[in-house]
Amino acid sequence: MKTAKLLIGLGVALLAFSLSLWVLNLRQDAAAGASAEAVLTRLRPDSSAVQLRAAGEDAAPAETPLSPLPLYQLDPEIPMPTQTVDGIEYLGVLEIPAITLELPVISRWSYADLKHAPCRYSGSAYLDDMVLAGHNYESHFGGLRELRANDLVCFTDMDGNEFRYLVSGLEVLDRDDTEEMLDPRWDLTMFTCTLGGGNRIAVRCLREDSEAFAFPGS
């Protein structure tokens, strides 16, 4: 009888613990979504900035002959511009219409910053090797698992340059498989952890005008 009561008590305690974790995750998810939404209202990608950078910061666009090409096309190795909001540098805005997602992207990744928005893990949109990391909050990258081949992904940098990608497919990778995550065949990779954190879901994308790539066996 004592053993049965002990087991029942243990079960109740585990249930209460699981419920508290679920509530905590919901609160963190809501806070993360609110933080990202607040930043979006303050980010202002400027499509004229790229021309001003090419001509010089103090140049007047009406008086200076400007290159018809964005600066990143003339020199893809240049750093991507950022805008600072509340002490955090943001790289641009990510939009995924299929899952009704619009999020700011932080320039450099850290575990602390992931609570605010997805972060650039490595690479550059200018070099077609950008990798973005995000928490699996529903308000952040939790919906990546729902994406399908040919879904559209848009990234707009802080100069207003838009980069359009199509989803090629999804992969489940070991959480420590950094080399595979940085596979250079993809123009854009977005990843988040699976439930429980044992693996990573990686969404692989190619520029809209790139030649399609098929996953092995597809």
Side-chain angles (χ1 to χ4, degrees), residues 181-204:
M181 184 65 71
L182 302 181
D183 188 334
R185 293 177 297 177
W186 307 106
D187 297 332
L188 172 69
T189 292
M190 302 175 292
F191 74 91
T192 189
C193 60
T194 57
L195 295 177
N199 294 296
R200 300 286 184 262
I201 295 175
V203 177
R204 306 297 201 177

Side-chain angles (χ1 to χ4, degrees), residues 95-98 147 150-154 164-167 208:
E95 296 179 75
I96 309 178
L147 294 177
N150 294 318
D151 281 342
L152 178 66
V153 178
C154 297
R164 295 168 63 88
Y165 307 88
L166 296 178
V167 172
E208 194 174 37

Side-chain angles (χ1 to χ4, degrees), residues 69-89:
L69 294 176
L71 186 57
Y72 80 88
Q73 291 187 7
L74 301 174
D75 182 11
E77 298 282 349
I78 62 171
M80 298 182 69
T82 61
Q83 182 175 326
T84 301
V85 176
D86 295 333
I88 298 176
E89 290 187 352

Side-chain angles (χ1 to χ4, degrees), residues 29-44 85 90 100-104 115-118 139-140:
D29 196 333
S35 178
E37 185 65 29
V39 170
L40 277 177
T41 64
R42 299 170 63 183
L43 286 181
R44 293 291 181 268
V85 176
Y90 289 87
T100 319
L101 193 68
E102 182 179 13
L103 293 167
K115 294 181 179 180
H116 299 284
S139 59
H140 283 187

Side-chain angles (χ1 to χ4, degrees), residues 32-197:
S35 178
E37 185 65 29
V39 170
L40 277 177
T41 64
R42 299 170 63 183
L43 286 181
R44 293 291 181 268
D46 183 3
S47 60
S48 67
V50 66
Q51 297 284 19
L52 290 175
R53 291 176 193 272
E57 289 185 1
D58 299 325
E63 301 173 0
T64 306
L66 303 175
S67 168
L69 294 176
L71 186 57
Y72 80 88
Q73 291 187 7
L74 301 174
D75 182 11
E77 298 282 349
I78 62 171
M80 298 182 69
T82 61
Q83 182 175 326
T84 301
V85 176
D86 295 333
I88 298 176
E89 290 187 352
Y90 289 87
L91 201 65
V93 176
L94 180 74
E95 296 179 75
I96 309 178
I99 54 176
T100 319
L101 193 68
E102 182 179 13
L103 293 167
V105 176
I106 297 174
S107 178
R108 296 180 179 85
W109 89 279
S110 72
Y111 288 113
D113 286 342
L114 283 175
K115 294 181 179 180
H116 299 284
C119 301
R120 174 172 56 169
Y121 185 77
S122 68
S124 168
Y126 303 163
L127 296 171
D128 292 330
D129 62 357
M130 189 161 68
V131 179
L132 305 180
H135 272 314
N136 64 356
Y137 299 141
E138 288 303 315
S139 59
H140 283 187
F141 274 6
L144 292 188
R145 60 185 179 274
E146 301 173 15
L147 294 177
R148 298 294 180 265
N150 294 318
D151 281 342
L152 178 66
V153 178
C154 297
F155 175 78
T156 304
D157 73 5
M158 295 314 305
D159 279 345
N161 297 303
E162 184 182 60
F163 300 82
R164 295 168 63 88
Y165 307 88
L166 296 178
V167 172
S168 293
L170 280 68
E171 292 183 290
V172 177
L173 303 176
D174 184 86
R175 62 178 299 166
D176 299 319
D177 195 350
T178 303
E179 182 177 353
E180 185 67 19
M181 184 65 71
L182 302 181
D183 188 334
R185 293 177 297 177
W186 307 106
D187 297 332
L188 172 69
T189 292
M190 302 175 292
F191 74 91
T192 189
C193 60
T194 57
L195 295 177

